[in-house]
Amino acid sequence: MRIVVGMSGGVDSSVAALLLKREGHEVIGVFMNNWDEKDDTGVCTAERDWADVRRVCDQIGIPYYAVNFQREYMDRVFSHFLEEYRRGRTPNPDVLCNREIKFSALKDFAQKLGAEKLATGHFARTDAAEGRARLLLSADPDKDQTYFLYMLSQPQLKMARFPVGDMTKAEVRAVAREAGLRTSEKKDSTGVCFIGERNFRAFLKTYLPAQPGEIRDVDGRVVGRHEGLMYYTPGQRRGLGIGGEGGRWYVVDKDLARNVLVVDQRADSPRLYSAESRLEAATWIAGAPPVSPGQWLCVRARLRHRQALQGARILVDGGDVLVRFDRPQRAVTPGQSTVFYRADECLGGGIVTR
RNA sequence: UGGGGUGUAGCCAAGCGGUUAAGGCCCGGGGCUUUGACUCCCGUAUGCGCAGGUUCGAAUCCUGCCGCCCCAG
């Protein structure tokens, strides 16, 4: 079977390619260059990553390509990312990136190459039940990445392969090491996918105008000034610049109408906790909601990557979802995604509106 | 003007004659992390408003000056 592997230059996708090759498939490595800019330290990590991809593919003995989806990334991911920040929300570009770039633009490219499957180094698993593809938690609970994949559709998931999904990170590195892959000890990448680790405030500042304003406590007293609401997100404590007595301050709210950042010194401020949340733009892996309209469904949910799964009940209302948590959740953040699970299966999720 | 109080790092704040001046916040660096956050670890005053003096030794005592705060008038 001809399979394209999306290769980042990291150890996970390197091993993904290696395993598929060992299975006897006709494997083609494809490296994506979606962001042409040096990082904060002046290094263009994409060049080094591309060099690693070439080297690894040579070691494995597979052909490789580099593709440039900068235009697609800008139009379909980054523009939305900026728009969300402009609206005062805190977006997650990587969930969109998977749907719009890796499993769309790259998927199209793979199909042009005649590939039947598109593999990546994601820590996630899939299986098929009654003609439908399912997305399942990875074997390594610490590295599970289904949170970033919840927007995938049936066609996208049916073409996807995740060769390292049933391995632990340690096992992946061990395989890479034994095969002598140069990426075996490479540090895991972080930051926005393709963009990398950034001084976020400075990064945003180059794209969006900032409007400074007051910082007030929950009683309305002015306790400082902010540089622009978009630089802050609920639950955040660093970067507020408020010294003095009483300890740390946490962002508990953003008053967009008044351009006021609301803060509290209680880490467990009641303003930070929500027993309920509402989502929009819900998507379901199965292609349809897992429950009939008007009926509550018991699920597990996570509001951010790597968060332990939380008990909740959901009510689907068209593209919206009402979520009631078993336990109040801290810093439910508009723009972020809430993703649902039943047992090990990822059901889908949506974007938090409140 | 008189009386009282007070001046320790960017912000709070211990210290009240004797090891290298607590701690918290902010900030910086690192760890964790394919979003943003949270969290964890490490670091940050040769100097205590200024100038003298007492003392073996002063942020700590004394004198003067300067700056704030409060009460009188």
Side-chain angles (χ1 to χ4, degrees):
Chain A
M1 183 184 296
R2 182 175 294 177
I3 302 179
V4 159
V5 181
M7 300 187 69
S8 64
V11 62
D12 302 333
S13 54
S14 296
V15 169
L18 175 66
L19 293 176
L20 292 172
K21 175 69 174 178
R22 284 178 178 171
E23 283 179 25
H25 296 296
E26 181 188 347
V27 181
I28 303 170
V30 176
F31 174 78
M32 284 180 286
N33 187 342
N34 300 336
W35 192 259
D36 184 21
E37 191 179 292
K38 293 179 172 57
D39 67 15
D40 289 338
T41 57
V43 177
C44 185
T45 53
E47 286 178 19
R48 201 184 121 209
D49 290 335
W50 169 227
D52 286 338
V53 167
R54 295 195 309 263
R55 177 62 170 277
V56 167
C57 288
D58 285 338
Q59 285 180 285
I60 297 173
I62 61 173
Y64 51 82
Y65 295 87
V67 290
N68 186 317
F69 294 135
Q70 286 174 19
R71 180 62 180 276
E72 288 83 351
Y73 187 81
M74 184 60 73
D75 290 349
R76 291 151 72 172
V77 177
F78 201 71
S79 61
H80 179 267
F81 169 82
L82 293 180
E83 178 55 27
E84 286 286 273
Y85 268 112
R86 197 176 285 122
R87 294 173 58 194
R89 311 214 300 189
T90 307
N92 181 336
D94 291 347
V95 295
L96 262 188
C97 178
N98 282 314
R99 184 178 73 186
E100 300 295 332
I101 305 298
K102 292 173 188 165
F103 294 96
S104 183
L106 179 62
K107 174 170 168 285
D108 292 344
F109 183 75
Q111 286 171 323
K112 281 181 188 168
L113 292 178
E116 293 177 56
K117 297 287 184 182
L118 170 62
T120 67
H122 281 106
F123 280 89
R125 293 181 297 163
T126 59
D127 72 1
E130 299 167 3
R132 276 182 171 166
R134 300 198 305 163
L135 178 64
L136 307 172
L137 291 169
S138 71
D140 189 334
D142 291 328
K143 299 300 294 185
D144 177 69
Q145 292 172 317
T146 52
Y147 180 80
F148 296 108
L149 298 170
Y150 83 92
M151 282 187 174
L152 295 190
S153 65
Q154 279 292 309
Q156 290 174 315
L157 198 53
K158 280 177 176 168
M159 187 165 168
R161 288 284 303 268
F162 305 121
V164 303
D166 51 8
M167 302 168 70
T168 64
K169 184 76 186 193
E171 290 169 343
V172 170
R173 286 201 184 279
V175 168
R177 202 174 301 128
E178 288 163 16
L181 301 184
R182 75 187 317 200
T183 53
S184 66
E185 311 306 321
K186 196 167 173 180
K187 190 180 185 303
D188 292 5
S189 65
T190 56
V192 176
C193 201
F194 298 118
I195 296 177
E197 203 76 62
R198 298 293 180 143
N199 176 328
F200 218 74
R201 196 174 294 190
F203 179 69
L204 273 185
K205 191 171 291 184
T206 63
Y207 295 96
L208 294 174
Q211 187 180 6
E214 293 173 335
I215 300 178
R216 291 176 180 269
D217 68 12
V218 290
D219 297 319
R221 294 183 310 159
V222 176
V223 294
R225 292 192 60 78
H226 71 256
E227 296 183 31
L229 289 183
M230 64 182 171
Y231 300 134
Y232 310 86
T233 196
Q236 177 175 339
R237 84 172 179 88
R238 307 210 65 175
L240 299 179
I242 310 172
E245 64 176 334
R248 305 166 169 179
W249 292 87
Y250 294 86
V251 174
V252 298
D253 215 344
K254 296 164 80 168
D255 185 338
L256 300 171
R258 300 166 193 267
N259 192 32
V260 168
L261 189 68
V262 184
V263 298
D264 194 2
Q265 286 186 293
R266 292 169 291 179
D268 60 346
S269 175
R271 289 279 291 269
L272 265 180
Y273 283 83
S274 308
E276 197 174 282
S277 172
R278 192 166 192 89
L279 315 181
E280 64 180 8
T283 59
W284 305 102
I285 294 290
V291 62
S292 305
Q295 290 196 318
W296 288 92
L297 178 68
C298 283
V299 297
R300 297 195 292 169
R302 60 165 49 119
L303 292 76
R304 44 180 57 83
H305 179 47
R306 283 172 53 82
Q307 180 191 25
L309 293 170
Q310 306 292 308
R313 289 171 301 149
I314 61 175
L315 184 66
V316 179
D317 175 18
D320 290 3
V321 179
L322 184 60
V323 189
R324 288 199 176 138
F325 303 110
D326 293 353
R327 295 250 172 228
Q329 296 296 304
R330 184 177 189 274
V332 176
T333 305
Q336 290 284 292
S337 290
T338 295
V339 179
F340 303 116
Y341 300 81
R342 186 167 49 195
D344 284 351
E345 180 182 2
C346 177
L347 300 172
I351 307 294
V352 173
T353 56
R354 61 181 167 81

